[in-house]
Amino acid sequence: MRRHKLLVTVSVVALAAGGAALYALPLAADPTGPKDCAGILPPLSALAGVPAAVAEPNWAQRAGTINDASCLNRTPVAGVVAVRNEADVARALAYARAHKLTVTAAGMKHSMGGQAFRAGGVILDMRGLNAIRLDAKTRTVSVGSGATWHAIQNAIHPQFAVKAMQSTDIFTVGGSISVNAHGMDHQSGAVMGSIRSLRLMLADGRIVTASRTENADLFAHVVGGYGLFGVLLSAELEVVPNDVYRSERSLISYRDFPETFAAIEADPAIGLTYTHLSTAPGSLLQEALVYAYRKVPADQSLPRAPLGEVSSTKLRRLTVNLSKRNDFFKAAKWWAEKNVEHRLESCTIPRAQAMGDGEACLVSRNDPMHDSVAYLRDALPRETDILHEYFVPRDRLVPFIDGMRALFRERDVNLVNASIRAVGAEANALSYAPKPAFSVVLYLNQPADAGGTAAMARLTSDLIDLCDREGGRFFLPYQLHYTTAQLVRSYPELPAFLAEKRRWDPDGLFSNTWYARYAPAVTGLQTG
């Protein structure tokens, strides 16, 4: 009898283990390609073309559809042009002008509001325009707009590091400039601050240079201009020494973050910083892990390890995807980040060579930003992950987070990650931060269906209103779940921005879904 019970127990355990493995397997599985959840958001009507005796561009795709990283915006297009050189761009523009089609430049397509395409338009796949040339003497790197930050880091490491980019390296330079992206370096600011000059092809095919001293007004509109003023061909960017940092972390209350950051900002030795907020239900947005990287007086001849890829991709993917399933796994994920993750940190500078830093974890500047987040890509077809970002005045962060927490609990929001970064005042024409602000970045999971999109639309609208009440602004490269009134209220400079766009591109050659949806409505508000 006892032996029978033992066999039954073993069988039950085996079945449970097998069931758990079957459950976990798809959560950890590598994606087989870009996720396409179908067109949940209704696309614009396709534009009609007319025959013309001009050269065909270098098509990679004729007709068909295109989608972005949200997987929710499948959109019909005239075609996708594979850009290998500047002549490919000129030929595509000539073809589009002759056929009365719009043109949109695209890179990795991580904007989630149709900024990388327009229905019926010609899409330029800029990823082939990816040359990289380092000038060590001037501490600059000249790059094609399709080059990724991942490739740039590999090209300039170990001597130099990127000055300003996002906290992950998957994006193209052109995409980052088009949204004026920012990241971990609170001292350098957003990408705009590291640009020496840009080369741009205008709607009539002319190539111009734009910088702070040459075509300065155009420069201020192209940076953060969402590709509406021309096709960005290349950029000259500043690079910085690939310094050695000691990583530090501290667990604080979110209420203490403004004071904590003030101390970080006052310390010139801290070169990089970011903060994660708790996603665990019991401490939702109340606990904060502050990460900082402090420059150490290390010998610059110390060997920097080659840049490696993030390890344990399947395990990390499984952890992220389990946290989307229920509160237990959300709490477990946050516990692991507080208590385990830092022990697994890869320390790329040998401790014994690091000027007596003992047990400190030492890394080069490039290391924390060399993350292509492969673990965030999954093979789960009925759900998707959505980014939001809100910029709030530094003295209004706490009430904004309090309001956000209340919304999340009321709506039972599936929050995967939340972080805080700092930005200075950005002086581009359509600035998300006319004054210094804290950026709150949200990574949210939603069902990939009409109901999930409707719930996300309501949440987005309420978060935008909350941000507006606190005197902040929302970031534009994400889903178009906001009204024209909300957009103009957050960006009162928008009418002037659109007028300048028409001056440089009077026939409206450059367009995208965002522009097609809101520009006519904004003009109507002005004339109505």
Side-chain angles (χ1 to χ4, degrees):
M1 185 69 174
R2 183 175 300 171
R3 186 168 179 271
H4 175 72
K5 288 183 177 179
L6 178 61
L7 287 173
V8 170
T9 301
V10 170
S11 298
V12 169
V13 171
L15 284 172
L22 288 173
Y23 178 79
L25 195 61
L27 300 183
D30 294 325
T32 57
K35 187 185 290 190
D36 188 355
C37 306
I40 301 301
L41 300 178
L44 298 170
S45 299
L47 304 177
V50 295
V54 296
E56 292 277 333
N58 181 34
W59 295 113
Q61 171 186 322
R62 291 298 306 266
T65 63
I66 195 170
N67 212 327
D68 58 34
S70 75
C71 88
L72 296 173
N73 290 324
R74 187 194 297 164
T75 300
V77 295
V80 178
V81 174
V83 174
R84 303 159 303 185
N85 50 51
E86 294 178 2
D88 285 337
V89 178
R91 188 159 59 249
L93 296 195
Y95 180 89
R97 287 193 301 266
H99 287 269
K100 301 189 186 308
L101 298 171
T102 62
V103 174
T104 310
M108 299 302 292
K109 301 189 294 294
H110 272 263
S111 294
M112 297 181 173
Q115 290 86 358
F117 42 77
R118 176 175 172 174
V122 174
I123 313 305
L124 306 182
D125 183 348
M126 302 297 293
R127 291 175 295 175
L129 207 62
N130 57 8
I132 301 170
R133 182 175 58 83
L134 173 66
D135 187 332
K137 186 175 296 185
T138 62
R139 291 190 175 184
T140 60
V141 62
S142 297
V143 299
S145 64
T148 64
W149 296 105
H150 188 87
I152 294 170
Q153 286 181 308
N154 283 332
I156 66 177
H157 187 82
Q159 185 179 5
F160 293 105
V162 170
K163 182 177 180 180
M165 57 169 271
Q166 292 99 311
S167 55
T168 57
D169 63 14
I170 57 177
F171 309 100
T172 62
V173 167
S176 296
I177 292 173
S178 293
V179 303
N180 193 27
H182 66 96
M184 297 183 191
D185 190 327
H186 58 290
Q187 296 180 11
S188 296
V191 171
M192 186 178 190
S194 68
I195 301 172
R196 290 278 183 90
S197 65
L198 305 173
R199 291 179 68 253
L200 192 74
M201 188 174 291
L202 301 178
D204 59 8
R206 286 183 298 139
I207 295 177
V208 300
T209 299
S211 68
R212 290 173 184 79
T213 57
E214 184 177 0
N215 290 313
D217 191 54
L218 178 62
F219 177 77
H221 284 79
V222 170
V223 179
Y226 298 92
L228 295 172
F229 290 80
V231 179
L232 182 60
L233 302 173
S234 62
E236 183 183 20
L237 307 173
E238 297 174 5
V239 295
V240 295
N242 190 24
D243 290 326
V244 174
Y245 292 124
R246 182 177 68 241
S247 63
E248 303 173 354
R249 64 199 295 274
S250 57
L251 180 66
I252 65 170
S253 165
Y254 78 106
R255 292 185 173 276
D256 296 331
F257 178 79
E259 182 180 353
T260 300
F261 178 75
I264 289 173
E265 190 173 36
D267 188 343
I270 297 180
L272 304 173
T273 185
Y274 62 94
T275 297
H276 284 172
L277 290 165
S278 170
T279 55
S283 59
L284 182 65
L285 305 179
Q286 292 176 324
E287 293 181 324
L289 272 171
V290 180
Y291 296 83
Y293 293 84
R294 181 183 300 276
K295 182 179 176 181
V296 299
D299 182 350
Q300 290 302 305
S301 67
L302 285 176
R304 272 70 162 167
L307 292 172
E309 305 306 322
V310 174
S311 62
S312 307
T313 296
K314 288 183 182 293
L315 179 60
R316 290 171 185 266
R317 183 184 294 121
L318 176 62
T319 301
V320 170
N321 288 332
L322 282 174
S323 74
K324 302 171 188 175
R325 295 298 177 264
N326 58 53
D327 289 351
F328 172 80
F329 287 120
K330 278 184 169 58
K333 176 174 173 285
W334 179 243
W335 179 89
E337 182 169 358
K338 288 193 297 183
N339 298 287
V340 178
E341 194 171 272
H342 64 288
R343 302 181 187 279
L344 305 177
E345 185 175 7
S346 177
C347 305
T348 59
I349 307 296
R351 289 187 175 106
Q353 297 179 326
M355 307 296 287
D357 271 82
E359 292 303 308
C361 185
L362 300 174
V363 296
S364 74
R365 178 183 171 92
N366 277 322
D367 288 313
M369 295 184 285
H370 196 67
D371 182 0
S372 295
V373 292
Y375 47 87
L376 294 183
R377 298 178 61 229
D378 60 53
L380 305 174
R382 289 185 289 276
E383 63 183 62
T384 188
D385 300 321
I386 298 299
L387 278 167
H388 289 212
E389 188 164 359
Y390 301 91
F391 300 88
V392 294
R394 292 188 178 178
D395 61 347
R396 303 305 300 163
L397 177 70
V398 170
F400 176 74
I401 291 177
D402 287 339
M404 190 166 62
R405 185 187 308 106
L407 278 172
F408 287 176
R409 284 180 168 159
E410 176 190 339
R411 309 289 175 81
D412 194 24
V413 170
N414 198 353
L415 179 64
V416 181
N417 192 63
S419 61
I420 307 173
R421 300 190 190 101
V423 297
E426 292 297 323
N428 57 311
L430 202 61
S431 174
Y432 49 68
K435 296 180 180 179
F438 287 130
S439 155
V440 178
V441 184
L442 307 174
Y443 196 55
L444 303 161
N445 179 259
Q446 71 159 80
D449 56 27
T453 297
M456 185 63 71
R458 291 190 295 271
L459 175 67
T460 305
S461 181
D462 288 344
L463 285 170
I464 288 172
D465 286 343
L466 170 65
C467 186
D468 181 67
R469 288 195 296 272
E470 301 300 340
R473 299 187 174 196
F474 64 97
F475 207 13
L476 297 177
Y478 300 128
Q479 292 176 296
L480 309 184
H481 293 324
Y482 45 87
T483 66
T484 304
Q486 286 176 314
L487 175 60
V488 174
R489 190 163 62 241
S490 190
Y491 289 88
E493 309 88 354
L494 185 57
F497 172 89
L498 295 176
E500 190 71 6
K501 185 266 193 297
R502 290 189 293 271
R503 185 169 79 85
W504 286 96
D505 180 18
D507 296 325
L509 178 68
F510 301 115
S511 187
N512 55 43
T513 303
W514 178 84
Y515 179 78
R517 180 171 298 186
Y518 290 106
V522 172
T523 302
L525 281 181
Q526 288 180 275
T527 59

Short mmCIF file of all heavy atoms in Angstrom, two decimals, residues 52 54-60 78-105 121-126 201-205 231 233 509-510:
data_model
loop_
_atom_site.label_atom_id
_atom_site.label_comp_id
_atom_site.label_asym_id
_atom_site.label_seq_id
_atom_site.Cartn_x
_atom_site.Cartn_y
_atom_site.Cartn_z
N ALA A 52 4.30 56.93 -64.36
CA ALA A 52 5.24 57.98 -64.75
C ALA A 52 6.51 57.32 -65.27
O ALA A 52 6.88 56.24 -64.83
CB ALA A 52 5.56 58.89 -63.57
N VAL A 54 9.68 57.22 -64.83
CA VAL A 54 10.85 57.43 -63.98
C VAL A 54 11.37 56.07 -63.57
O VAL A 54 10.66 55.06 -63.61
CB VAL A 54 10.50 58.27 -62.73
CG1 VAL A 54 10.07 59.67 -63.11
CG2 VAL A 54 9.43 57.59 -61.90
N ALA A 55 12.64 56.04 -63.16
CA ALA A 55 13.27 54.78 -62.80
C ALA A 55 12.61 54.18 -61.56
O ALA A 55 12.24 54.89 -60.62
CB ALA A 55 14.75 55.01 -62.54
N GLU A 56 12.45 52.86 -61.59
CA GLU A 56 11.93 52.16 -60.42
C GLU A 56 12.99 52.19 -59.32
O GLU A 56 14.18 52.03 -59.59
CB GLU A 56 11.62 50.71 -60.78
CG GLU A 56 10.46 50.54 -61.74
CD GLU A 56 9.11 50.59 -61.02
OE1 GLU A 56 9.07 50.25 -59.83
OE2 GLU A 56 8.11 50.97 -61.67
N PRO A 57 12.58 52.38 -58.09
CA PRO A 57 13.55 52.31 -56.99
C PRO A 57 13.98 50.87 -56.72
O PRO A 57 13.46 49.93 -57.33
CB PRO A 57 12.79 52.91 -55.81
CG PRO A 57 11.35 52.70 -56.14
CD PRO A 57 11.23 52.73 -57.63
N ASN A 58 14.89 50.70 -55.79
CA ASN A 58 15.42 49.39 -55.44
C ASN A 58 14.45 48.69 -54.48
O ASN A 58 14.67 48.65 -53.27
CB ASN A 58 16.81 49.55 -54.80
CG ASN A 58 17.44 48.24 -54.43
OD1 ASN A 58 17.24 47.24 -55.12
ND2 ASN A 58 18.19 48.22 -53.34
N TRP A 59 13.39 48.15 -55.04
CA TRP A 59 12.33 47.57 -54.21
C TRP A 59 12.83 46.34 -53.45
O TRP A 59 13.42 45.44 -54.03
CB TRP A 59 11.13 47.15 -55.05
CG TRP A 59 10.39 48.24 -55.74
CD1 TRP A 59 10.32 48.47 -57.08
CD2 TRP A 59 9.60 49.26 -55.11
NE1 TRP A 59 9.53 49.57 -57.34
CE2 TRP A 59 9.07 50.08 -56.15
CE3 TRP A 59 9.29 49.57 -53.80
CZ2 TRP A 59 8.26 51.17 -55.91
CZ3 TRP A 59 8.48 50.66 -53.54
CH2 TRP A 59 7.97 51.44 -54.58
N ALA A 60 12.57 46.29 -52.17
CA ALA A 60 12.70 45.06 -51.40
C ALA A 60 11.35 44.37 -51.27
O ALA A 60 11.27 43.17 -51.00
CB ALA A 60 13.25 45.36 -50.01
N ALA A 78 2.74 51.11 -50.64
CA ALA A 78 3.09 50.95 -52.05
C ALA A 78 4.27 50.02 -52.22
O ALA A 78 4.39 49.31 -53.22
CB ALA A 78 3.41 52.32 -52.66
N GLY A 79 5.17 50.04 -51.24
CA GLY A 79 6.32 49.16 -51.27
C GLY A 79 7.40 49.63 -50.33
O GLY A 79 7.33 50.73 -49.77
N VAL A 80 8.41 48.79 -50.16
CA VAL A 80 9.55 49.08 -49.30
C VAL A 80 10.80 49.09 -50.16
O VAL A 80 11.07 48.15 -50.91
CB VAL A 80 9.69 48.03 -48.18
CG1 VAL A 80 10.91 48.33 -47.31
CG2 VAL A 80 8.42 47.97 -47.33
N VAL A 81 11.58 50.17 -50.05
CA VAL A 81 12.81 50.34 -50.82
C VAL A 81 14.00 49.98 -49.94
O VAL A 81 14.12 50.50 -48.82
CB VAL A 81 12.96 51.79 -51.33
CG1 VAL A 81 14.31 51.99 -52.01
CG2 VAL A 81 11.82 52.13 -52.28
N ALA A 82 14.86 49.10 -50.41
CA ALA A 82 16.09 48.76 -49.70
C ALA A 82 17.14 49.82 -50.03
O ALA A 82 17.62 49.89 -51.16
CB ALA A 82 16.57 47.38 -50.10
N VAL A 83 17.49 50.64 -49.07
CA VAL A 83 18.46 51.72 -49.28
C VAL A 83 19.86 51.20 -49.01
O VAL A 83 20.18 50.78 -47.90
CB VAL A 83 18.14 52.93 -48.37
CG1 VAL A 83 19.24 53.98 -48.48
CG2 VAL A 83 16.79 53.52 -48.73
N ARG A 84 20.71 51.25 -50.05
CA ARG A 84 22.11 50.84 -49.91
C ARG A 84 23.05 52.02 -49.98
O ARG A 84 24.17 51.97 -49.50
CB ARG A 84 22.48 49.85 -51.01
CG ARG A 84 21.62 48.59 -51.06
CD ARG A 84 21.69 47.93 -52.41
NE ARG A 84 21.28 48.87 -53.47
CZ ARG A 84 21.15 48.53 -54.76
NH1 ARG A 84 21.41 47.31 -55.14
NH2 ARG A 84 20.77 49.44 -55.64
N ASN A 85 22.59 53.12 -50.63
CA ASN A 85 23.41 54.31 -50.81
C ASN A 85 22.50 55.50 -51.02
O ASN A 85 21.27 55.36 -51.10
CB ASN A 85 24.38 54.13 -51.98
CG ASN A 85 23.66 53.66 -53.25
OD1 ASN A 85 22.66 54.25 -53.65
ND2 ASN A 85 24.15 52.58 -53.84
N GLU A 86 23.10 56.68 -51.14
CA GLU A 86 22.30 57.89 -51.26
C GLU A 86 21.57 57.97 -52.60
O GLU A 86 20.50 58.58 -52.69
CB GLU A 86 23.20 59.10 -51.04
CG GLU A 86 23.74 59.16 -49.61
CD GLU A 86 24.68 60.32 -49.36
OE1 GLU A 86 24.91 61.12 -50.30
OE2 GLU A 86 25.20 60.43 -48.23
N ALA A 87 22.14 57.34 -53.64
CA ALA A 87 21.46 57.33 -54.94
C ALA A 87 20.13 56.58 -54.85
O ALA A 87 19.16 56.96 -55.51
CB ALA A 87 22.36 56.69 -55.98
N ASP A 88 20.07 55.54 -54.01
CA ASP A 88 18.81 54.82 -53.81
C ASP A 88 17.74 55.74 -53.21
O ASP A 88 16.56 55.67 -53.57
CB ASP A 88 19.02 53.63 -52.88
CG ASP A 88 19.72 52.47 -53.57
OD1 ASP A 88 19.67 52.39 -54.80
OD2 ASP A 88 20.33 51.65 -52.85
N VAL A 89 18.15 56.61 -52.30
CA VAL A 89 17.21 57.55 -51.70
C VAL A 89 16.71 58.53 -52.75
O VAL A 89 15.50 58.79 -52.87
CB VAL A 89 17.86 58.31 -50.53
CG1 VAL A 89 16.88 59.33 -49.94
CG2 VAL A 89 18.31 57.34 -49.45
N ALA A 90 17.64 59.10 -53.54
CA ALA A 90 17.26 60.08 -54.56
C ALA A 90 16.29 59.46 -55.57
O ALA A 90 15.30 60.09 -55.97
CB ALA A 90 18.51 60.61 -55.26
N ARG A 91 16.56 58.23 -56.01
CA ARG A 91 15.69 57.57 -56.98
C ARG A 91 14.31 57.30 -56.39
O ARG A 91 13.28 57.46 -57.06
CB ARG A 91 16.34 56.27 -57.45
CG ARG A 91 15.61 55.62 -58.62
CD ARG A 91 16.50 54.65 -59.39
NE ARG A 91 17.01 53.58 -58.54
CZ ARG A 91 18.30 53.48 -58.21
NH1 ARG A 91 19.19 54.35 -58.65
NH2 ARG A 91 18.70 52.47 -57.44
N ALA A 92 14.26 56.91 -55.11
CA ALA A 92 12.96 56.66 -54.48
C ALA A 92 12.16 57.94 -54.34
O ALA A 92 10.93 57.94 -54.54
CB ALA A 92 13.18 56.02 -53.11
N LEU A 93 12.82 59.05 -54.00
CA LEU A 93 12.10 60.33 -53.89
C LEU A 93 11.56 60.76 -55.25
O LEU A 93 10.42 61.26 -55.35
CB LEU A 93 13.02 61.41 -53.32
CG LEU A 93 13.54 61.23 -51.89
CD1 LEU A 93 14.12 62.54 -51.37
CD2 LEU A 93 12.47 60.71 -50.95
N ALA A 94 12.37 60.60 -56.30
CA ALA A 94 11.91 60.97 -57.63
C ALA A 94 10.71 60.14 -58.05
O ALA A 94 9.74 60.65 -58.63
CB ALA A 94 13.05 60.81 -58.64
N TYR A 95 10.75 58.84 -57.76
CA TYR A 95 9.64 57.96 -58.08
C TYR A 95 8.38 58.37 -57.32
O TYR A 95 7.28 58.44 -57.89
CB TYR A 95 10.02 56.52 -57.73
CG TYR A 95 8.94 55.50 -58.02
CD1 TYR A 95 8.86 54.89 -59.26
CD2 TYR A 95 8.00 55.15 -57.04
CE1 TYR A 95 7.86 53.94 -59.53
CE2 TYR A 95 7.01 54.22 -57.30
CZ TYR A 95 6.95 53.62 -58.54
OH TYR A 95 5.96 52.70 -58.81
N ALA A 96 8.53 58.66 -56.04
CA ALA A 96 7.37 59.05 -55.22
C ALA A 96 6.78 60.37 -55.70
O ALA A 96 5.56 60.53 -55.75
CB ALA A 96 7.78 59.13 -53.76
N ARG A 97 7.65 61.34 -56.04
CA ARG A 97 7.14 62.62 -56.54
C ARG A 97 6.34 62.41 -57.82
O ARG A 97 5.26 62.98 -58.00
CB ARG A 97 8.29 63.61 -56.78
CG ARG A 97 8.92 64.17 -55.53
CD ARG A 97 9.82 65.36 -55.85
NE ARG A 97 10.89 65.00 -56.77
CZ ARG A 97 12.12 64.61 -56.40
NH1 ARG A 97 12.41 64.53 -55.10
NH2 ARG A 97 13.03 64.31 -57.30
N ALA A 98 6.87 61.59 -58.73
CA ALA A 98 6.20 61.37 -60.02
C ALA A 98 4.87 60.65 -59.85
O ALA A 98 3.92 60.91 -60.59
CB ALA A 98 7.13 60.57 -60.94
N HIS A 99 4.80 59.75 -58.90
CA HIS A 99 3.58 58.97 -58.68
C HIS A 99 2.68 59.57 -57.60
O HIS A 99 1.67 58.96 -57.24
CB HIS A 99 3.95 57.53 -58.30
CG HIS A 99 4.47 56.72 -59.44
ND1 HIS A 99 3.66 55.94 -60.23
CD2 HIS A 99 5.73 56.58 -59.93
CE1 HIS A 99 4.39 55.34 -61.15
NE2 HIS A 99 5.66 55.72 -61.00
N LYS A 100 3.06 60.75 -57.09
CA LYS A 100 2.27 61.42 -56.05
C LYS A 100 2.05 60.51 -54.84
O LYS A 100 0.95 60.38 -54.30
CB LYS A 100 0.94 61.92 -56.61
CG LYS A 100 1.09 62.88 -57.77
CD LYS A 100 -0.22 63.51 -58.16
CE LYS A 100 -0.07 64.36 -59.41
NZ LYS A 100 1.01 65.34 -59.34
N LEU A 101 3.14 59.89 -54.42
CA LEU A 101 3.13 59.05 -53.23
C LEU A 101 3.91 59.73 -52.12
O LEU A 101 4.76 60.57 -52.37
CB LEU A 101 3.79 57.70 -53.54
CG LEU A 101 3.12 56.84 -54.62
CD1 LEU A 101 4.00 55.65 -54.97
CD2 LEU A 101 1.75 56.35 -54.16
N THR A 102 3.61 59.38 -50.90
CA THR A 102 4.38 59.89 -49.77
C THR A 102 5.59 59.00 -49.51
O THR A 102 5.66 57.86 -49.97
CB THR A 102 3.52 59.96 -48.49
OG1 THR A 102 3.10 58.64 -48.15
CG2 THR A 102 2.33 60.88 -48.69
N VAL A 103 6.54 59.53 -48.75
CA VAL A 103 7.77 58.81 -48.41
C VAL A 103 7.96 58.84 -46.90
O VAL A 103 7.79 59.90 -46.27
CB VAL A 103 9.00 59.43 -49.09
CG1 VAL A 103 10.29 58.76 -48.62
CG2 VAL A 103 8.87 59.31 -50.61
N THR A 104 8.33 57.70 -46.34
CA THR A 104 8.65 57.61 -44.92
C THR A 104 9.93 56.81 -44.76
O THR A 104 10.05 55.72 -45.33
CB THR A 104 7.53 56.89 -44.13
OG1 THR A 104 6.27 57.47 -44.45
CG2 THR A 104 7.77 57.01 -42.63
N ALA A 105 10.88 57.35 -44.01
CA ALA A 105 12.11 56.62 -43.70
C ALA A 105 11.89 55.77 -42.45
O ALA A 105 11.29 56.24 -41.47
CB ALA A 105 13.27 57.58 -43.49
N GLY A 121 2.07 54.52 -48.96
CA GLY A 121 3.28 55.28 -49.21
C GLY A 121 4.48 54.39 -49.53
O GLY A 121 4.43 53.17 -49.43
N VAL A 122 5.57 55.06 -49.92
CA VAL A 122 6.85 54.41 -50.16
C VAL A 122 7.64 54.44 -48.86
O VAL A 122 7.81 55.50 -48.26
CB VAL A 122 7.63 55.13 -51.27
CG1 VAL A 122 9.03 54.53 -51.43
CG2 VAL A 122 6.87 55.06 -52.59
N ILE A 123 8.12 53.28 -48.44
CA ILE A 123 8.88 53.17 -47.19
C ILE A 123 10.35 52.94 -47.53
O ILE A 123 10.67 52.05 -48.31
CB ILE A 123 8.36 52.00 -46.33
CG1 ILE A 123 6.82 52.03 -46.24
CG2 ILE A 123 8.99 52.05 -44.95
CD1 ILE A 123 6.23 53.32 -45.74
N LEU A 124 11.22 53.75 -46.96
CA LEU A 124 12.66 53.59 -47.15
C LEU A 124 13.22 52.79 -45.99
O LEU A 124 13.21 53.26 -44.84
CB LEU A 124 13.35 54.94 -47.21
CG LEU A 124 12.83 55.95 -48.24
CD1 LEU A 124 13.68 57.22 -48.18
CD2 LEU A 124 12.83 55.37 -49.63
N ASP A 125 13.70 51.58 -46.26
CA ASP A 125 14.38 50.78 -45.24
C ASP A 125 15.83 51.26 -45.19
O ASP A 125 16.65 50.91 -46.03
CB ASP A 125 14.31 49.30 -45.60
CG ASP A 125 14.95 48.41 -44.54
OD1 ASP A 125 15.64 48.95 -43.65
OD2 ASP A 125 14.78 47.18 -44.62
N MET A 126 16.15 52.07 -44.19
CA MET A 126 17.43 52.76 -44.13
C MET A 126 18.55 51.90 -43.54
O MET A 126 19.69 52.36 -43.46
CB MET A 126 17.28 54.04 -43.30
CG MET A 126 16.23 55.02 -43.83
SD MET A 126 16.63 55.64 -45.47
CE MET A 126 18.10 56.61 -45.13
N MET A 201 18.62 64.77 -47.06
CA MET A 201 18.10 64.94 -48.42
C MET A 201 16.71 65.52 -48.33
O MET A 201 15.82 64.94 -47.70
CB MET A 201 18.07 63.62 -49.19
CG MET A 201 17.72 63.82 -50.66
SD MET A 201 17.84 62.29 -51.65
CE MET A 201 19.61 62.03 -51.67
N LEU A 202 16.52 66.69 -48.94
CA LEU A 202 15.24 67.39 -48.90
C LEU A 202 14.28 66.82 -49.94
O LEU A 202 14.64 65.98 -50.76
CB LEU A 202 15.46 68.88 -49.13
CG LEU A 202 16.38 69.58 -48.12
CD1 LEU A 202 16.56 71.05 -48.51
CD2 LEU A 202 15.85 69.45 -46.71
N ALA A 203 13.05 67.33 -49.93
CA ALA A 203 12.02 66.81 -50.82
C ALA A 203 12.35 66.99 -52.28
O ALA A 203 11.94 66.19 -53.12
CB ALA A 203 10.68 67.51 -50.49
N ASP A 204 13.12 68.03 -52.63
CA ASP A 204 13.48 68.24 -54.03
C ASP A 204 14.76 67.52 -54.44
O ASP A 204 15.26 67.71 -55.56
CB ASP A 204 13.62 69.74 -54.32
CG ASP A 204 14.69 70.42 -53.45
OD1 ASP A 204 15.43 69.71 -52.74
OD2 ASP A 204 14.77 71.66 -53.46
N GLY A 205 15.32 66.71 -53.55
CA GLY A 205 16.51 65.93 -53.87
C GLY A 205 17.82 66.59 -53.48
O GLY A 205 18.88 65.95 -53.57
N VAL A 231 15.05 63.17 -45.54
CA VAL A 231 15.61 61.86 -45.22
C VAL A 231 16.99 62.06 -44.62
O VAL A 231 17.89 62.60 -45.27
CB VAL A 231 15.71 60.97 -46.48
CG1 VAL A 231 16.32 59.62 -46.12
CG2 VAL A 231 14.34 60.78 -47.10
N LEU A 233 20.51 61.22 -43.88
CA LEU A 233 21.48 60.34 -44.53
C LEU A 233 22.59 59.91 -43.59
O LEU A 233 22.97 58.74 -43.55
CB LEU A 233 22.07 61.05 -45.75
CG LEU A 233 21.07 61.50 -46.82
CD1 LEU A 233 21.78 62.33 -47.88
CD2 LEU A 233 20.37 60.30 -47.45
N LEU A 509 5.63 65.65 -49.29
CA LEU A 509 6.22 64.39 -49.72
C LEU A 509 6.49 63.48 -48.53
O LEU A 509 6.21 62.27 -48.58
CB LEU A 509 7.53 64.66 -50.48
CG LEU A 509 8.29 63.42 -50.96
CD1 LEU A 509 7.50 62.70 -52.06
CD2 LEU A 509 9.69 63.80 -51.46
N PHE A 510 7.03 64.04 -47.46
CA PHE A 510 7.38 63.24 -46.28
C PHE A 510 6.20 63.17 -45.33
O PHE A 510 5.66 64.21 -44.92
CB PHE A 510 8.60 63.83 -45.58
CG PHE A 510 9.82 63.90 -46.47
CD1 PHE A 510 10.36 65.13 -46.83
CD2 PHE A 510 10.38 62.75 -46.98
CE1 PHE A 510 11.46 65.19 -47.66
CE2 PHE A 510 11.48 62.81 -47.82
CZ PHE A 510 12.02 64.04 -48.16
#
